[in-house]
Amino acid sequence: MAGMAYLVVVLLILLLAVNYQNNLAYAVCFTLLSLFVTAILHTYANLSGLKISALSTEPAFSNEIAYFRYQLHSARAMNQLTLGFNNNAQITIDLKKNVEHNIEVPYLCSRRGWQRAELFRIGSLYPLGLFRAWSWLRFDQTVLVYPKPIEGGQLDSFVGRDSRDNMALAKGDEEFEALSPYYPGAAKNSIAWKAYAKGYGLQVKTYQGSASDELWLDWSLWPELSEEQRLSCMCYWSIQLSQNQTHYGLRLPGVTFEPSAGEKHNIKVLEQLALYGIEGC
Amino acid sequence: MSTKTPATLLSIPSKKWLLIMLLVVIAPHVAYIPLWLTSIALCIIGWIGISLFSQRPELPVWGRRLFVVGVIAGVLIYASMSQGLAGLSSLLIAGAILKVLELRTRRDGWVLILVACFIAAVSFLFDQSIVAATYGGVSLMTVFSALTMMHHPNEQRWFTFPLKKSALILLQSMPLMLILFLIFPRISPLWSIQYNNSVAKTGLSDDMEPGNISQLARSDSVAFRVSFSTGVPPASTDRYWRAMTYPIFDGQRWSMAQESIDKGINKRNSEEGKDLVEYQVIAEPSANSWLFALDYPSGVPSREILQFSDGTFQAGSPIYERLFYSAKADLSGAYDGRPLYDRARYLSVPKNGNPATRAMVAKWAATGFSPEQKIAALLQRFNEKFSYTLSPQKLRGDRIDQFLFTTQEGFCEHFSNATAFALRLGGIPTRVVAGYLGGEWNPYEKYMLVRQYEAHAWVEAWLDGKGWVRIDPTAAVAPERVILPFDQLFSDSPEFMSDNAFATYRMQQSLPWLKTWSLRYDALNYNWHRWVLGFHEEQSGLLQDWFGKISILKMLLLLFIPVGVALTVVIWILLRVPSHKINAVDQEVITVSAGLCSVAPLLQREAGETVTSYCQRVARSLPVLRSRLEDWSELYQQIRYVPESHQIEQNTILFLSCSRQLKKDIKRLKKQDFVRGSID
Amino acid sequence: MRDRVEQLVSVISSVVLGKEEVVRLAVACMLARGHLLIEDLPGMGKTTLAQTLAHVFGLDYQRVQFTSDMLPADILGGAIFDQQTSSFVYHPGPVFTQLLLADEINRSTPKTQSALLEAMEEGQVSSEGVTRQLPAPFFVIATQNPVSQFGTFPLPESQLDRFLMRISLGYPDPETEKGLLKHGDTRRDIEQLSVCIDSSLLIELQEACSQVVVSDSVLNYVQRLAQFSRDSDDVVLGLSPRGSLALIQAAKAWAYMSGRDYLMPDDVQKVFGAVVEHRLLLRNESESGSARSILSQVDVLG
């Protein structure tokens, strides 16, 4: 647009020059015209020689923004590069020469599962804004999108026991089963202190509990909800339980994760929820 | 993009630049736009400028609208009343400053930028001097600085960065611009425009009354510039420049006749073509249409110049811009044998008046003088008794009588007036010619500068068998007027040139370098006028000179080859990965290594070899150089590896001289061939 | 002070015969406050060099022979329950010394190795939630067998990085070996060697080394070397910024030992192999001279 308006002004000045036989006005006209051409080169050069490599991405939740990470590098300084996916926020950066720049390009994820990186555009109006140099890029890049965590559904065995101590009790003063290595956040009264005093290090007693007393995120917990809603609720609970360092397991049709705790377990569960029912998992 | 991106807001530095740009671009127009507009512009720019630094309350919307409507109305009224360009520039400027009031988005910035480009171009319609052109370049630079800033909003060096960038882009565009300027065909105006510029009428007037020309002696402004194809000026006695002839005499004043354009004049002697002088004239704007022809014109002048049978040229319309034309002259002024038409007109004199003159002429006739003798008698009379002055006594009544018999002093116009009258009484067809005599030769650019104070009037008499013969009575009175430059002749006369110009003139006379510089400056101006401002006149000739006959194909080649080359160079510069510069001291090492390599290939420095170890290696092979190499590498170390040493400059000098010695030694070694054998 | 360094070098060389270059590197490493890794086949005099260094520097030293059944506590020390006071009492391990001789470090498990390496990096030991400062100066001189030897746990790259230099002695030249055979084992002489430097002088020397000035052109050179190693196709993992920092640190010490108070590319080149080689992960292991090939390909000028 700006470029067209510019050309119109150049044309007007040319008319002025022709009608007044004014060579300096001609000169202005030609200067503007040559500048127009030089600007093409400058804008092109501002993008030419740019190296982009894709970096790993962090999973995101559905309907939230995932960040695809890229590393930019150029042997020349480049200014005002605008990057972004279609219909998503664009980011603008300046590159220094021979410096690696890591950027995160936002992408709004609409549904769970593996989200492939779409075409994304890198462009620049620099230096004069007369032209836009641009390029579409597609990287073989995917990001895992978890279901959107939605608070809902009653987790009977959890709700109603507000304190963590109660929770630990819930796990049962049942029959002692085995010692397992300490994990951060294990309830203090489940630690095998005697073993610790003997110098065996921190270990946790685990008990054989009855199934009904364990926390299970079960597919059949909320028959009233639709599939996606169930997944969302399970996602929510998984995060909640994991924050409380609770042991919980996951039961989906065809998949069962034994109860465990910790961030790794949470991620495993979330992954399973994200990919549930989606081809290739 | 399918979504509409939100409007990009302008950053504060971008706004600053836009305001700077407006100030710079508007400045040359101040003389042509009304004062109230200038003050409003300053107020608005100042107000917005201040509000960039601190938050100011904004004008209420209705107030702003009222203001906008007021300014627009004012400008429209002004534009409709004023003629032509002043109105245009006021409109543009008013538009620009009103846009400043709502300078918010990048789009607003763009509007301002484009208007500024146009304003910058319009300013050249008012002033085309070198200074104006330079200023125009500066304003374009500010325009593009503002544009650069707009598209790089978060640059920290907000002042220097866009300046450098825009200067770079402009510089890179220059080759292309010059090519376009040279090649682009100059079209004649698409529609006629009245170009009513305020050029005061200067120079000769359409009629001659005593006093008219001496008035001109007060002006040192330039009438025209001439260059000669041979590069050599005609002799000072041949520098008669015809502007007009005055055949009609009413007893008081001589005036022009409506001559018809005479196409036949070129038959005069173009086939003989022996002593033709070809010249090119750049006439200054004079608001008159007559032009200057070297006496006596011959052949056809360049297009658009009308030629009259009395040997004068005229432009088609009054000259408001510099006019360029070329013509030829035959200095010998040989008679082409054409008869005199309308003899009566050249003999008509009033019935009465000036009895003494009539008596004198009657006496000549009684003596039986031939026309030549009559002329000689008159000129002799002038030579014996008359004096030449810029400030003669006032004449009343029978002026010619009074001049010839009482005051006996005067200026060229008095002499030619009296001469023409007397000769007409004596039955010789006569006319007065007004023009210029002389000119200052500029040796630097080889052209002649003719100023208003060189205005002159002389007489032409028709002698049967000889045609029109030039009679310059002034030459009879004061031959030095013809030979000497006019300014030397009259530099003591108080009437010569107006007071302030005279002071400058005096200074020039006493300081020769000042004179030289003023000549050089005028030479520059001349070239400027001829090659830039008058380029449309020169273009076709120039292109033909360079490239022969112009065809479409040639034009396209001419356009695309240089443009392609220019663009390739620019893109090469742009895409070049900047490589660091080699330090001068390191460069020495490279040179020495290359020198040693030519002695023996093994002696070349390896990439990973430090200077110290390299020198040790070379010293082992060439023990002759050992001590010098040791000094050399020691100095190198001191310069390159000891930071903050106070002796770096001194050491560098030592190093360079040591290096020079070393290179000499190497050269000597090279001559002694045995070295090569001993190493390889 | 420099004479003392020279003296030191000559004293060590009287025990470690014919290896002055390596000895100088080892001393430079100590002056640059760096830990030293000596890598060679068994019986090449690694331990002799380490012991000699420890002795002549007059440092208080401990020697630990690493074995595969060693635990971190064997080095760092640990809390022992005191029956009388009914509380845990911390028993410092051998690491609490000025110079730790970690013999055959690659014989121990990675767990133990990393325990030591933490101490090297931080200069402190954290145990049972209490952080204990190690004495200053604190050096680790580790020896190791080349990785190809059976029953060893190679140090990972990240941990190799903590050693300022890795040097190897190599076989002695025939002349030296003959002398060696004639004199018998020199290891017995170590105890008789005079102590040349005390720890306060050592700290002074270290300070002096760090005062060596570095000009821009040398910095550029080091930067170019690092960049080249990163860009090179033969190198999987180039020189880290810590690596180039170590390079300058070591080169400064070398420059100081060479009697200069400014750094030259020559110094950088001298220490380059020892500092850089163990930090690079080469694509092709057989290409032994990679450090040398980098040196030969990067222009000193510029």
Side-chain angles (χ1 to χ4, degrees):
Chain A
M1 263 308 287
M4 291 308 292
Y6 182 86
L7 282 185
V8 168
V9 168
V10 170
L11 199 71
L12 281 176
I13 295 175
L14 182 67
L15 279 179
L16 194 80
V18 166
N19 266 343
Y20 287 90
Q21 291 274 302
N22 189 311
N23 279 294
L24 288 183
Y26 270 117
V28 171
C29 167
F30 297 147
T31 307
L32 295 186
L33 204 61
S34 321
L35 216 92
F36 190 72
V37 178
T38 317
I40 299 179
L41 305 184
H42 273 260
T43 314
Y44 169 75
N46 195 39
L47 210 54
S48 165
L50 178 68
K51 280 186 207 144
I52 305 184
S53 33
L55 303 174
S56 62
T57 48
E58 297 285 327
F61 292 100
S62 171
N63 281 327
E64 280 181 21
I65 287 170
Y67 290 95
F68 286 96
R69 305 213 319 249
Y70 299 96
Q71 185 172 67
L72 307 188
H73 177 265
S74 164
R76 282 174 285 115
M78 291 183 176
N79 292 312
Q80 296 293 300
L81 301 182
T82 312
L83 306 100
F85 290 99
N86 246 346
N87 304 334
N88 277 287
Q90 310 280 310
I91 56 167
T92 302
I93 53 158
D94 294 336
L95 295 188
K96 292 198 185 72
K97 66 172 178 185
N98 282 327
V99 177
E100 269 94 12
H101 295 258
N102 289 339
I103 53 159
E104 296 188 326
V105 184
Y107 179 81
L108 183 66
C109 301
S110 48
R111 30 182 293 277
R112 68 188 174 84
W114 287 109
Q115 175 67 54
R116 286 182 64 82
E118 284 188 26
L119 275 179
F120 96 94
R121 191 174 78 154
I122 178 161
S124 165
L125 281 172
Y126 186 80
L128 297 183
L130 289 167
F131 296 94
R132 179 188 293 280
W134 83 99
S135 179
W136 289 100
L137 301 169
R138 184 192 278 282
F139 286 94
D140 191 14
Q141 222 183 350
T142 49
V143 63
L144 186 62
V145 183
Y146 301 148
K148 184 183 172 71
I150 299 174
E151 187 170 5
Q154 298 290 309
L155 196 58
D156 295 331
S157 46
F158 182 65
V159 179
R161 306 170 210 262
D162 2 54
S163 82
R164 224 198 284 173
D165 287 336
N166 283 341
M167 277 256 318
L169 283 173
K171 260 190 211 165
D173 321 76
E174 321 287 328
E175 212 174 321
F176 172 75
E177 191 194 16
L179 284 175
S180 61
Y182 171 79
Y183 53 89
K188 273 185 194 128
N189 53 10
S190 68
I191 291 175
W193 291 108
K194 278 183 208 157
Y196 181 64
K198 287 177 194 156
Y200 290 114
L202 278 175
Q203 289 186 312
V204 182
K205 293 178 279 188
T206 51
Y207 298 89
Q208 181 79 52
S210 66
S212 63
D213 276 357
E214 284 207 306
L215 274 174
W216 281 96
L217 294 174
D218 199 308
W219 185 244
S220 55
L221 268 179
W222 305 294
E224 72 278 10
L225 299 179
S226 73
E227 278 196 15
E228 289 302 314
Q229 280 172 324
R230 279 189 222 184
L231 289 172
S232 288
C233 288
M234 288 165 101
C235 179
Y236 170 78
W237 283 114
S238 171
I239 295 166
Q240 286 299 315
L241 295 174
S242 156
Q243 271 172 9
N244 288 332
Q245 304 286 358
T246 314
H247 267 207
Y248 64 100
L250 175 72
R251 233 180 253 136
L252 294 176
V255 189
T256 307
F257 284 165
E258 287 304 317
S260 178
E263 193 52 32
K264 267 190 185 159
H265 180 65
N266 184 28
I267 287 171
K268 242 169 75 183
V269 168
L270 290 178
E271 254 169 43
Q272 196 56 49
L273 292 174
L275 299 174
Y276 174 73
I278 290 173
E279 206 181 326
C281 57
Chain B
M1 293 289 298
S2 51
T3 45
K4 195 163 159 51
T5 40
T8 324
L9 295 184
L10 286 172
S11 64
I12 295 226
S14 315
K15 287 186 182 173
K16 279 188 205 163
W17 260 111
L18 285 169
L19 294 184
I20 294 175
M21 170 194 83
L22 268 193
L23 280 178
V24 171
V25 167
I26 291 176
H29 289 262
V30 167
Y32 309 102
I33 60 174
L35 189 64
W36 60 266
L37 188 57
T38 311
S39 20
I40 284 177
L42 281 179
C43 287
I44 288 182
I45 292 176
W47 171 266
I48 300 291
I50 290 168
S51 65
L52 285 184
F53 293 100
S54 57
Q55 203 59 46
R56 296 279 145 158
E58 287 199 354
L59 277 175
V61 177
W62 61 266
R64 210 187 302 173
R65 282 193 190 141
L66 201 70
F67 178 73
V68 169
V69 168
V71 171
I72 291 176
V75 168
L76 282 178
I77 292 167
Y78 174 79
S80 60
M81 289 195 331
S82 70
Q83 285 171 328
L85 293 173
L88 173 66
S89 74
S90 317
L91 272 176
L92 286 171
I93 288 169
I97 56 172
L98 292 181
K99 190 73 200 168
V100 170
L101 280 180
E102 39 192 78
L103 194 56
R104 235 168 38 79
T105 62
R106 190 178 276 181
R107 204 187 163 79
D108 300 330
W110 260 109
V111 172
L112 217 53
I113 295 267
L114 294 177
V115 173
C117 285
F118 203 73
I119 295 176
V122 166
S123 74
F124 288 133
L125 300 183
F126 297 112
D127 188 357
Q128 297 195 66
S129 63
I130 298 181
V131 178
T134 316
Y135 189 86
V138 172
S139 29
L140 279 188
M141 209 161 98
T142 58
V143 169
F144 289 105
S145 299
L147 194 53
T148 311
M149 200 63 225
M150 264 168 58
H151 292 94
H152 197 187
N154 39 9
E155 173 59 48
Q156 291 302 309
R157 299 157 291 161
W158 73 271
F159 192 75
T160 50
F161 177 81
L163 260 187
K164 274 188 197 159
K165 189 82 192 172
S166 63
L168 179 75
I169 300 181
L170 273 176
L171 209 66
Q172 288 173 343
S173 310
M174 274 304 115
L176 193 56
M177 178 259 165
L178 288 176
I179 295 162
L180 283 173
F181 189 84
L182 283 176
I183 306 275
F184 189 85
R186 299 300 197 268
I187 322 157
S188 44
L190 300 179
W191 59 85
S192 71
I193 28 167
Q194 83 219 51
Y195 198 147
N196 209 350
N197 229 333
S198 53
V199 175
K201 282 201 175 198
T202 54
L204 302 165
S205 53
D206 294 349
D207 47 25
M208 185 182 84
E209 248 183 312
N212 275 358
I213 290 180
S214 50
Q215 202 66 41
L216 280 178
R218 295 174 179 277
S219 162
D220 70 340
S221 61
V222 177
F224 60 100
R225 296 180 174 86
V226 203
S227 61
F228 298 91
S229 297
T230 51
V232 183
S236 54
T237 48
D238 285 331
R239 296 177 189 166
Y240 283 89
W241 301 97
R242 308 166 70 88
M244 290 168 277
T245 59
Y246 304 127
I248 297 164
F249 182 54
D250 64 355
Q252 290 289 333
R253 70 163 66 94
W254 294 84
S255 55
M256 289 174 77
Q258 288 303 318
E259 294 278 339
S260 59
I261 300 164
D262 182 6
K263 302 259 185 213
I265 192 161
N266 59 342
K267 289 189 200 122
R268 186 178 160 109
N269 49 12
S270 55
E271 51 267 39
E272 295 166 35
K274 43 184 192 311
D275 203 10
L276 291 191
V277 174
E278 202 180 333
Y279 58 94
Q280 296 82 37
V281 174
I282 297 175
E284 292 289 310
S286 62
N288 292 312
S289 58
W290 39 262
L291 295 169
F292 320 97
L294 186 60
D295 217 12
Y296 197 92
S298 166
V300 203
S302 54
R303 65 199 167 91
E304 294 167 21
I305 304 295
L306 309 176
Q307 195 177 16
F308 293 90
S309 59
D310 60 349
T312 57
F313 296 155
Q314 262 192 31
S317 57
I319 306 165
Y320 290 112
E321 286 186 296
R322 279 180 194 82
L323 183 74
F324 180 87
Y325 63 94
S326 58
K328 290 177 188 157
D330 176 13
L331 295 180
S332 66
Y335 176 44
D336 60 356
R338 289 198 305 171
L340 175 67
Y341 298 104
D342 208 1
R343 177 179 282 261
R345 172 198 273 176
Y346 296 108
L347 286 173
S348 78
V349 283
K351 292 264 182 324
N352 310 309
N354 297 313
T357 313
R358 285 169 197 273
M360 179 184 75
V361 176
K363 203 164 83 192
W364 289 345
T367 329
F369 275 4
S370 69
E372 281 88 350
Q373 281 171 321
K374 288 175 188 167
I375 295 168
L378 187 62
L379 292 185
Q380 195 187 352
R381 185 181 166 81
F382 285 152
N383 196 2
E384 282 166 0
K385 299 182 180 160
F386 283 67
S387 60
Y388 184 59
T389 171
L390 269 178
S391 47
Q393 296 169 33
K394 280 258 176 202
L395 302 174
R396 287 201 181 77
D398 290 331
R399 293 185 186 186
I400 296 175
D401 275 3
Q402 220 177 348
F403 168 71
L404 280 177
F405 301 101
T406 320
T407 63
Q408 297 196 337
E409 59 174 19
F411 194 53
C412 60
E413 51 203 353
H414 301 98
F415 289 102
S416 40
N417 182 26
T419 309
F421 180 69
L423 293 186
R424 282 193 174 187
L425 286 179
I428 307 169
T430 313
R431 65 190 181 197
V432 172
V433 185
Y436 295 84
L437 169 60
E440 183 179 20
W441 182 247
N442 189 318
Y444 304 105
E445 278 303 327
K446 306 220 180 309
Y447 67 91
M448 189 176 277
L449 179 68
V450 181
R451 298 177 185 276
Q452 292 297 355
Y453 61 62
E454 276 155 332
H456 191 54
W458 64 95
V459 173
E460 278 180 340
W462 181 270
L463 299 177
D464 293 320
K466 289 188 184 165
W468 288 109
V469 174
R470 181 171 68 216
I471 299 164
D472 189 357
T474 317
V477 189
E480 61 275 18
R481 165 68 184 95
V482 182
I483 299 157
L484 284 181
F486 187 79
D487 49 345
Q488 277 182 35
L489 193 65
F490 280 108
S491 53
D492 294 333
S493 165
E495 286 76 22
F496 175 59
M497 292 205 280
S498 53
D499 301 335
N500 52 349
F502 187 64
T504 330
Y505 175 80
R506 270 286 170 79
M507 206 140 63
Q508 279 188 15
Q509 294 306 309
S510 53
L511 300 170
W513 58 268
L514 199 61
K515 176 95 177 162
T516 314
W517 277 107
S518 89
L519 274 178
R520 279 188 192 276
Y521 176 70
D522 199 79
L524 185 67
N525 253 321
Y526 167 80
N527 278 329
W528 177 251
H529 290 145
R530 178 160 177 194
W531 294 109
V532 180
L533 303 186
F535 184 73
H536 51 280
E537 303 285 349
E538 297 276 358
Q539 189 186 33
S540 60
L542 188 74
L543 291 181
Q544 271 180 20
D545 279 1
W546 288 357
F547 309 109
K549 202 162 159 46
I550 299 296
S551 65
I552 297 280
L553 181 70
K554 251 187 200 169
M555 282 297 276
L556 287 179
L557 284 181
L558 270 182
L559 186 66
F560 284 110
I561 294 174
V563 167
V565 170
L567 293 185
T568 314
V569 170
V570 171
I571 194 78
W572 178 78
I573 293 171
L574 286 177
L575 291 184
R576 194 177 37 135
V577 173
S579 62
H580 60 281
K581 277 188 201 125
I582 294 267
N583 181 286
V585 174
D586 285 355
Q587 188 57 51
E588 273 315 296
V589 177
I590 291 168
T591 329
V592 166
S593 160
L596 283 167
C597 176
S598 69
V599 173
L602 277 178
L603 289 181
Q604 191 181 18
R605 194 184 67 89
E606 311 276 335
E609 206 170 9
T610 63
V611 175
T612 324
S613 55
Y614 175 59
C615 287
Q616 283 164 2
R617 183 164 69 93
V618 173
R620 274 198 299 278
S621 301
L622 300 170
V624 213
L625 295 180
R626 179 179 296 276
S627 67
R628 179 142 290 144
L629 279 168
E630 272 165 9
D631 293 350
W632 190 66
S633 84
E634 177 63 28
L635 283 168
Y636 179 86
Q637 269 181 40
Q638 294 292 329
I639 296 165
R640 294 290 283 154
Y641 303 138
V642 186
E644 291 144 27
S645 159
H646 304 295
Q647 298 167 321
I648 281 190
E649 284 88 12
Q650 198 188 332
N651 279 337
T652 308
I653 295 165
L654 280 174
F655 175 79
L656 291 178
S657 77
C658 184
S659 201
R660 228 170 292 131
Q661 288 295 327
L662 195 58
K663 280 184 259 182
K664 260 187 219 160
D665 290 348
I666 292 168
K667 230 175 252 171
R668 204 173 307 133
L669 278 173
K670 212 156 63 171
K671 281 182 198 149
Q672 303 165 337
D673 209 32
F674 68 89
V675 179
R676 191 165 303 167
S678 69
I679 293 166
D680 286 347
Chain C
M1 286 201 298
R2 280 190 182 116
D3 335 333
R4 302 288 286 273
V5 178
E6 282 307 308
Q7 190 191 345
L8 194 84
V9 171
S10 64
V11 165
I12 301 172
S13 299
S14 71
V15 179
V16 184
L17 295 170
K19 294 287 173 199
E20 203 189 319
E21 191 79 5
V22 180
V23 168
R24 292 192 87 94
L25 277 174
V27 172
C29 180
M30 309 273 287
L31 294 187
R33 298 189 176 110
H35 305 294
L36 182 65
L37 179 64
I38 308 175
E39 183 183 280
D40 223 324
L41 294 166
M44 304 293 272
K46 299 188 295 283
T47 316
T48 312
L49 174 61
Q51 278 183 332
T52 318
L53 280 172
H55 183 79
V56 296
F57 272 95
L59 296 173
D60 153 33
Y61 76 98
Q62 296 273 357
R63 181 178 165 181
V64 182
Q65 183 72 38
F66 277 52
T67 55
S68 55
D69 56 356
M70 250 174 115
L71 289 174
D74 294 340
I75 298 169
L76 305 181
I80 294 189
F81 190 73
D82 188 336
Q83 295 288 345
Q84 266 108 49
T85 56
S86 303
S87 61
F88 287 101
V89 174
Y90 183 77
H91 282 255
V95 76
F96 288 90
T97 180
Q98 286 177 313
L99 197 154
L100 180 72
L101 246 171
D103 234 352
E104 308 212 51
I105 190 169
N106 59 341
R107 291 229 175 263
S108 72
T109 54
K111 202 180 196 173
T112 317
Q113 288 173 359
S114 63
L116 174 62
L117 293 161
E118 288 300 334
M120 287 163 63
E121 182 66 12
E122 311 290 336
Q124 62 189 26
V125 170
S126 298
S127 173
E128 319 274 307
V130 182
T131 301
R132 294 182 176 80
Q133 205 66 38
L134 293 173
F138 172 70
F139 292 108
V140 172
I141 297 180
T143 68
Q144 81 169 2
N145 289 330
V147 178
S148 53
Q149 291 277 310
F150 178 73
T152 56
F153 300 92
L155 290 171
E157 280 78 22
S158 63
Q159 300 191 346
L160 277 173
D161 211 28
R162 308 240 155 92
F163 288 99
L164 179 65
M165 285 189 194
R166 184 183 71 177
I167 56 177
S168 60
L169 290 153
Y171 293 106
D173 56 82
E175 210 52 37
T176 318
E177 193 162 12
K178 233 167 72 188
L180 198 80
L181 294 173
K182 203 183 281 175
H183 287 285
D185 195 359
T186 48
R187 210 185 279 200
R188 281 173 290 121
D189 308 341
I190 296 175
E191 294 309 315
Q192 276 96 61
L193 290 177
S194 57
V195 173
C196 309
I197 287 177
D198 58 2
S199 60
S200 70
L201 183 58
L202 178 60
I203 289 173
E204 249 176 79
L205 280 170
Q206 287 175 337
E207 191 50 42
C209 286
S210 63
Q211 296 294 322
V212 166
V213 288
V214 188
S215 68
D216 264 2
S217 56
V218 179
L219 286 181
N220 288 339
Y221 177 56
V222 171
Q223 199 278 328
R224 282 201 301 278
L225 285 170
Q227 192 62 49
F228 184 88
S229 77
R230 288 165 205 162
D231 296 343
S232 169
D233 285 336
D234 298 328
V235 183
V236 182
L237 211 67
L239 196 57
S240 63
R242 178 163 43 179
S244 30
L245 208 61
L247 182 58
I248 289 188
Q249 210 181 329
K252 276 178 167 181
W254 188 274
Y256 181 79
M257 286 170 66
S258 314
R260 263 179 288 107
D261 49 8
Y262 56 92
L263 193 58
M264 279 176 37
D266 305 71
D267 306 318
V268 176
Q269 294 192 344
K270 281 278 171 12
V271 299
F272 188 76
V275 175
V276 165
E277 224 154 38
H278 62 287
R279 294 168 202 264
L280 298 180
L281 189 60
L282 300 184
R283 198 172 297 283
N284 189 353
E285 276 302 328
S286 67
E287 199 183 18
S288 56
S290 182
R292 201 177 308 147
S293 83
I294 291 174
L295 276 186
S296 70
Q297 285 175 70
V298 176
D299 199 340
V300 182
L301 305 183

